[in-house]
Amino acid sequence: MKKQCENYRYVEKGRPYRDLTFKFYADGRLVIIDNNAEEVIAPRDLKGDSLDFYVRRRIAFIKNQLTASQLKYA
């Protein structure tokens, strides 16, 4: 059974110390939740270390999707 969603929790190292949950869905959708404010935020609202975390996770997610596709059709 395939994973439908990958969840990652990240707490920013600098102020305002947001507690974020990143949800990467298998179809490419992304949801970022600010756990303190209980609201969904957009990737453009990220900065600093949380933006870096998002970019690294997104690249890893895309690489995994490409690898899975290559293995499927190889």
Side-chain angles (χ1 to χ4, degrees), residues 24-38:
F24 293 94
Y25 291 91
D27 63 0
R29 290 183 299 129
L30 167 72
V31 176
I32 304 171
I33 301 169
D34 183 344
N35 296 318
N36 296 331
E38 297 180 359

Side-chain angles (χ1 to χ4, degrees), residues 2 4 14-15 17 20-22 26 29 32 34 37 39-41 44 47 53-54 56 61 67 70:
K2 286 185 173 182
Q4 295 299 320
R15 290 190 186 257
Y17 302 112
L20 304 171
T21 298
F22 294 82
R29 290 183 299 129
I32 304 171
D34 183 344
E39 61 183 23
V40 176
I41 61 173
R44 68 178 171 267
K47 44 186 147 167
F53 177 81
Y54 161 70
R56 290 177 187 273
F61 179 77
T67 302
Q70 287 176 340

